[in-house]
Amino acid sequence: MAQRRTPEYTLELFADPKTVKDVVRGVLHFIFFHRYFPTIRPATIDVLNLTLPYVPEPELENTIDAKVHQLSRQLSSTSFPNSGGRGQIAVQFFEKRRRKAGGLGWFGTKVSDDVCWETWRLEITLATPRTESEQQKVIRATETTLQKTAMKVMAIVNQNKDHVPPITTSETNPFPYSIVLNPKIGSF
């Protein structure tokens, strides 16, 4: 049987230094809202003129905040001269699959592998407006991009469900995740 290719979705975001953290954080929470399966009490977050779902889970919030902070520092840093105001952040979702050979590791423990079942890649372009009128144009463009991105995520999660693995564990979060800053293409 041929191995299925892991679905990868690319979202292009546009923001200025003042809004980049909120925009990226909002999109990441939007993705997690649709792919994080523990029982949660939904919340919302306002990003510019758009209300997005938010996952109020402390561990997830801390992870997202740390990665968004790193990305923001990188985008505003001169130590990344070749970034040109661009950066990437990716989210991978995994399922734990038991190994078939023997099934047990040292001391009789069950052995499992994390197998990626979905990847979301956010490509961020940072704008640096110099005048007030440029700032207004950038804010409007950021709002438009954010709305289109939210609609794209909704379309993807509603149309592409067949690859989502069944929940086979009673763990709080059945699907581990990873958030990676500036992933190498093809490294997933």
Side-chain angles (χ1 to χ4, degrees):
M1 186 169 123
Q3 191 172 5
R4 287 180 58 171
R5 186 167 154 29
T6 301
E8 183 172 313
Y9 308 109
T10 301
L11 305 171
E12 295 178 4
L13 300 173
F14 181 80
D16 70 339
K18 293 178 185 176
T19 61
V20 69
K21 284 184 180 181
D22 291 337
V23 168
V24 174
R25 182 181 296 117
V27 171
L28 288 173
H29 272 282
F30 194 71
I31 292 167
F32 273 97
F33 183 80
H34 293 284
R35 291 300 194 235
Y36 191 73
F37 294 104
T39 304
I40 59 169
R41 171 173 245 121
T44 59
I45 183 172
D46 290 327
V47 180
L48 300 173
N49 288 326
L50 190 62
T51 301
L52 299 172
Y54 182 81
V55 180
E57 180 69 34
E59 183 180 330
L60 178 61
E61 287 180 75
N62 290 338
T63 302
I64 288 175
D65 287 348
K67 293 298 182 178
V68 167
H69 181 72
Q70 287 175 351
L71 177 69
S72 175
R73 269 197 352 243
Q74 175 209 307
L75 289 171
S76 62
S77 171
T78 57
S79 61
F80 288 93
N82 296 329
S83 70
R86 296 180 185 270
Q88 289 186 359
I89 194 164
V91 179
Q92 289 182 292
F93 293 97
F94 300 92
E95 71 171 310
K96 290 189 180 291
R97 286 193 188 158
R98 287 198 184 128
R99 288 190 188 164
K100 294 184 183 193
L104 296 177
W106 289 97
F107 307 109
T109 58
K110 293 180 181 177
V111 178
S112 64
D113 291 320
D114 286 345
V115 178
C116 183
W117 56 269
E118 186 173 81
T119 300
W120 293 84
R121 186 181 301 267
L122 282 63
E123 296 180 351
I124 300 97
T125 301
L126 189 68
T128 51
R130 291 184 275 287
T131 66
E132 185 62 36
S133 96
E134 284 181 4
Q135 177 69 33
Q136 293 305 315
K137 287 178 185 177
V138 167
I139 288 174
R140 283 192 301 275
T142 302
E143 288 173 343
T144 301
T145 303
L146 184 58
Q147 288 175 335
K148 287 179 180 178
T149 300
M151 295 305 289
K152 183 175 180 178
V153 171
M154 287 300 303
I156 289 169
V157 299
N158 286 328
Q159 293 171 0
N160 301 294
K161 299 175 186 177
D162 294 342
H163 69 281
V164 178
I167 296 174
T168 59
T169 179
S170 60
E171 291 181 31
T172 306
N173 181 18
F175 302 122
Y177 59 87
S178 173
I179 302 175
V180 182
L181 189 64
N182 294 317
K184 303 273 188 272
I185 295 188
S187 68
F188 291 125

